[in-house]
Amino acid sequence: MRVTEKQRFVLSQLRIGKQRVRQIKLTEQLSSGIRVNRPSDDSIAAKKVSVLQTEYSRIEQYQKNVEAAHRLLTVADHTVGESSNTLFRLKEIAIRGLNSSMTPSDRNNLAEEIATLRDHMMTLANTRTENRYIFGGYAMSTPPYDNAFNFVGDTNTTSIAVGDSSLVKATIPGGSAFGDGTAATVDVFDNINQLETAVRLGIEVDMQNELERLEESIEQGIEARRFIGLQLSRVEASKTILAYKDTELRAGMAQLKDVDFTSAVSQLKVVENALQATIATSSRLMKGTSLLDYL
Amino acid sequence: MLGLKNTLRNAASGMNTSQAGLATVGHNLANADTDGYSRQQVHIGNRGPLRIISGSQQISQAGQGATVQNIQRAHSTFLERQLLRDRMERGFFQEQSQGLKLFERLFDDQASNTIGPAVDEFFNAARDLSQEPHRFGNRQMFMLSADNIARSFNEFAQQAHSVREDADRTVQANVERINELAEIITATNARIGTIEAVGITANDFRDQRDIAIKEIAELADVRVLIHRDGGAQIDLANGFSLVQGSNRAVLSTIPDPANAGLLAIEHTSLSGVTTEITNSIQTGEIGGLLNLRDTVIPTHMGEMDQLAFTFVAEVNAIHQAGVGLDGLGGRDLFDPIGAVAGASLSISVNQAIEADPGLIAAAIDPAALPGDNRNLLALADLQTAPHAVLTNVTFNHFYSEIIRSVGAGVNRSEQLSEFHQTRFEQSDSLRESIEGVSIDDEMVDLSRFQKHFEASARVMDTVNRLMDELMQLVR
């Protein structure tokens, strides 16, 4: 085979060019820290990254949802807790009202105290957080209890997704803590109002009755807190699972996408060596002696 | 009688041939770096002998010196044919991979307006809104994310189309270039014809014609036939004659309404018959561009259209089942799309809902407003649900699969492009080894012809001196 000058030069050019392309690719990876800069860099990895990315963004949203559910449930828990305390205070008052040494003016004072506590209960039942009423079911933009102490909300609960096909209830069923106006629940405000009247009038039988209903009201509050506690523990569990998934997904994406620096650097070293060798041999090829030097 | 005069003539013929040799060495060296140049060789033969009768009736022959029989270019028809094929394949994959790389950028994760993240964001906005469906601000955010999906699809469709248009413009330029090259070939055909009619090989014109033919091969499928009279016949794509002797057909481009107004290629034959040959061109740069323009990108566009269409249909179905804050249902979130084809270009959000986000159907029960978020929960569940028309996978899986197949396509195209480049280089190196100019060889020839010239000159000098001797005798 004859070797012409053109072959010598063109081949050197091509060889150096090829090494340079590999060098640039590796430098791009090293400087960006990312191995898959475009789908063609590794199409399978690009697909997997895209799938994981979706899951990851969903997990992030679930984490936000979990936080929101956590906030709502915590507020509800505190509020119902405070309402239980108030009911206990009312129970003490009712027991004091039953005392036979009470004068009418004493009972009047007690009745006033009951009225004040009722108003406090009213504030609790119409608790508003993050721009919504939390005890009125889906009727979240209007107070669930009107001025006549009637429940005007509905008995729904707001469900929030905290995972794929995993919902938690971020609110308790409307009216379940303070009464929804049906026989299924104790109407706490009716209870307090009746108690107030009974104490004011000093009717012992009615006071006894309302005291018993107070026990039911307290029981109802405890039931509501149990419901909240259950949801909160599910929220906590979801939080742990999501945090775990979050870490897993991040690691998974990093593994697919990120550069393995050790191997990339050593590859770059290999390419650089090859490039150097190519340049060295090419320059010899190009300088190569020719008959011209002797004739 | 063998005279000194004859010897003088022989010496002169030697000097002539060596001069022709030197001239060819000079020509070769001057063109050592010329593209497509084939090295030329001088073939020297001896001139027919002279019959002479010496004293005793015996006939013998005396040489009459040398003559240049012809100057031929080193040429391997087989390799040249192989190289034409390699050029076509190389051109095809080079153009295809370059265009695909442009197309691939539309799926770049770094760009914020890609469809994958937009869809994710939409479903997350639904989940965000499901926390507080009564909030106007959240409803607006949700509409923004819906609008963002529509825009991302629209932008994708437009950009993909502009990649097709770029390919289209290059096709047009290439078709014009083929016409120019055909013109050059007909012209050189004519000149080669006149030169070779008198028995001389038109080396340099043949080289020029070869260069033009090679360039056509880069652009489209060609078949070349060199006729006995030296004329080249060039056939394009499945036997459409492009050049015949000094006549040529004409290629033209015309917008094809059936193909979004992109150009179709027409061939008007020598006899004036016009045929559309767009689909017959399957290799070369034009073949690569057409493949990209009419097959590869439309395939992916079709997938994206299917995605957009299904997305709109499924989202609307759920949205219709719910009610807005006004308690009314049956509304579409996105304007309904009639056909799959072109869905990604035409997708848009319902203007009425965009103007009043209160109409977003977050609720199922008109009596449970504004807090009912069950329809949003159902909507968000769409994200993880498989869809039968999307090969039974989720929206995102389907989209990711498109990314994978685009990436794999670019990869494959790039590898093939590189493979054909390497193959071309190998063939070209072989061709160069036969047809190229080696300075060493030429230096050897230079010395050879120089010595040859010197030797003939010496003979002439000797004859000259003998003549002088004779003249001395006469004086």
Side-chain angles (χ1 to χ4, degrees), chain B residues 203-221:
Chain B
N203 291 322
D204 294 315
F205 283 121
R206 276 177 178 252
D207 274 353
Q208 274 178 25
R209 188 175 65 190
D210 283 353
I211 291 173
I213 293 174
K214 281 172 191 166
E215 206 181 319
I216 292 190
E218 303 248 349
L219 301 177
D221 331 21

Side-chain angles (χ1 to χ4, degrees), chain A:
Chain A
M1 179 170 163
R2 295 168 71 242
V3 178
T4 69
E5 273 62 32
K6 210 171 160 191
Q7 268 172 296
R8 294 202 322 223
F9 286 95
V10 170
L11 283 180
S12 304
Q13 210 177 2
L14 288 172
R15 283 195 197 117
I16 294 176
K18 267 185 190 157
Q19 305 285 5
R20 288 259 187 240
V21 170
R22 289 180 60 198
Q23 191 188 24
I24 281 186
K25 199 122 203 161
L26 282 167
T27 329
E28 184 199 13
Q29 289 185 1
L30 277 170
S31 62
S32 67
I34 295 171
R35 191 175 63 85
V36 187
N37 282 300
R38 54 191 75 75
S40 57
D41 288 342
D42 183 343
S43 52
I44 307 265
K47 174 181 175 178
K48 283 184 186 156
V49 166
S50 164
V51 169
L52 292 184
Q53 185 65 50
T54 294
E55 203 170 338
Y56 180 65
S57 84
R58 202 159 63 231
I59 297 291
E60 279 190 323
Q61 180 62 42
Y62 287 148
Q63 282 179 326
K64 278 191 223 160
N65 283 8
V66 159
E67 290 307 323
H70 190 263
R71 283 197 306 271
L72 286 174
L73 287 168
T74 313
V75 171
D77 191 39
H78 285 307
T79 314
V80 179
E82 173 59 19
S83 90
S84 294
N85 291 341
T86 314
L87 289 172
F88 277 118
R89 283 274 297 127
L90 285 165
K91 194 176 150 191
E92 280 170 31
I93 294 169
I95 291 168
R96 263 166 57 199
L98 278 172
N99 196 328
S100 50
S101 63
M102 279 278 156
T103 65
S105 86
D106 284 346
R107 280 202 302 271
N108 245 350
N109 284 344
L110 285 182
E112 285 308 310
E113 201 175 335
I114 291 172
T116 314
L117 288 175
R118 183 196 59 214
D119 290 348
H120 181 50
M121 282 296 276
M122 186 68 173
T123 320
L124 292 177
N126 282 342
T127 294
R128 195 162 179 249
T129 177
E130 302 188 18
N131 202 23
R132 68 188 286 171
Y133 294 96
I134 54 175
F135 295 118
Y138 282 153
M140 49 175 67
S141 40
T142 44
Y145 295 91
D146 64 13
N147 291 333
F149 310 109
N150 291 318
F151 181 66
V152 292
D154 57 47
T155 57
N156 292 301
T157 58
T158 299
S159 293
I160 292 183
V162 293
D164 295 344
S165 60
S166 162
L167 298 172
V168 295
K169 296 186 166 71
T171 60
I172 58 174
S176 65
F178 300 94
D180 59 10
T182 66
T185 54
V186 185
D187 190 333
V188 175
F189 294 107
D190 182 58
N191 181 201
I192 299 173
N193 282 336
Q194 299 286 344
L195 181 67
E196 188 200 339
T197 319
V199 168
R200 206 182 286 278
L201 299 178
I203 305 170
E204 201 170 320
V205 185
D206 286 358
M207 279 196 272
Q208 282 288 2
N209 276 341
E210 292 313 315
L211 195 57
E212 263 166 46
R213 268 179 85 198
L214 261 183
E215 291 291 350
E216 284 172 36
S217 292
I218 290 169
E219 191 55 43
Q220 182 170 273
I222 292 171
E223 196 54 48
R225 287 192 80 183
R226 191 174 298 144
F227 182 94
I228 294 169
L230 211 64
Q231 298 307 319
L232 269 174
S233 72
R234 282 201 54 204
V235 163
E236 290 297 334
S238 302
K239 217 188 235 182
T240 319
I241 293 171
L242 289 172
Y244 171 73
K245 274 193 179 166
D246 185 301
T247 327
E248 281 288 286
L249 284 171
R250 265 185 225 250
M253 283 195 289
Q255 209 167 31
L256 286 168
K257 229 174 140 176
D258 291 0
V259 169
D260 173 358
F261 278 94
T262 331
S263 92
V265 167
S266 67
Q267 271 181 51
L268 185 65
K269 203 71 213 158
V270 170
V271 170
E272 275 173 358
N273 282 344
L275 181 62
Q276 226 155 34
T278 315
I279 290 176
T281 48
S282 296
S283 73
R284 283 190 74 151
L285 250 183
M286 287 190 274
K287 264 191 285 193
T289 46
S290 130
L291 263 183
L292 263 180
D293 306 334
Y294 297 93
L295 287 174

Side-chain angles (χ1 to χ4, degrees), chain B residues 136-211:
Chain B
F136 198 72
N138 285 14
R139 284 178 176 262
Q140 276 178 325
M141 288 304 289
F142 177 75
M143 273 330 278
L144 272 181
S145 75
D147 196 45
N148 190 30
I149 286 191
R151 274 173 211 279
S152 301
F153 269 113
N154 297 160
E155 205 166 303
F156 175 86
Q158 281 157 7
Q159 290 188 355
H161 190 71
S162 78
V163 175
R164 293 179 76 195
E165 280 175 340
D166 285 348
D168 203 48
R169 277 191 280 276
T170 318
V171 165
Q172 190 178 21
N174 283 347
V175 166
E176 275 159 23
R177 182 69 187 145
I178 289 186
N179 280 332
E180 286 168 25
L181 291 166
E183 187 63 50
I184 292 174
I185 295 171
T186 47
T188 36
N189 261 351
R191 300 187 86 157
I192 291 168
T194 41
I195 293 170
E196 297 197 349
V198 288
I200 307 170
T201 319
N203 291 322
D204 294 315
F205 283 121
R206 276 177 178 252
D207 274 353
Q208 274 178 25
R209 188 175 65 190
D210 283 353
I211 291 173

Side-chain angles (χ1 to χ4, degrees), chain B residues 236-254:
Chain B
L236 209 64
N238 286 335
F240 290 94
S241 172
L242 181 67
V243 175
Q244 241 169 2
S246 48
N247 297 314
R248 70 178 180 94
V250 177
L251 294 185
S252 50
T253 50
I254 179 169

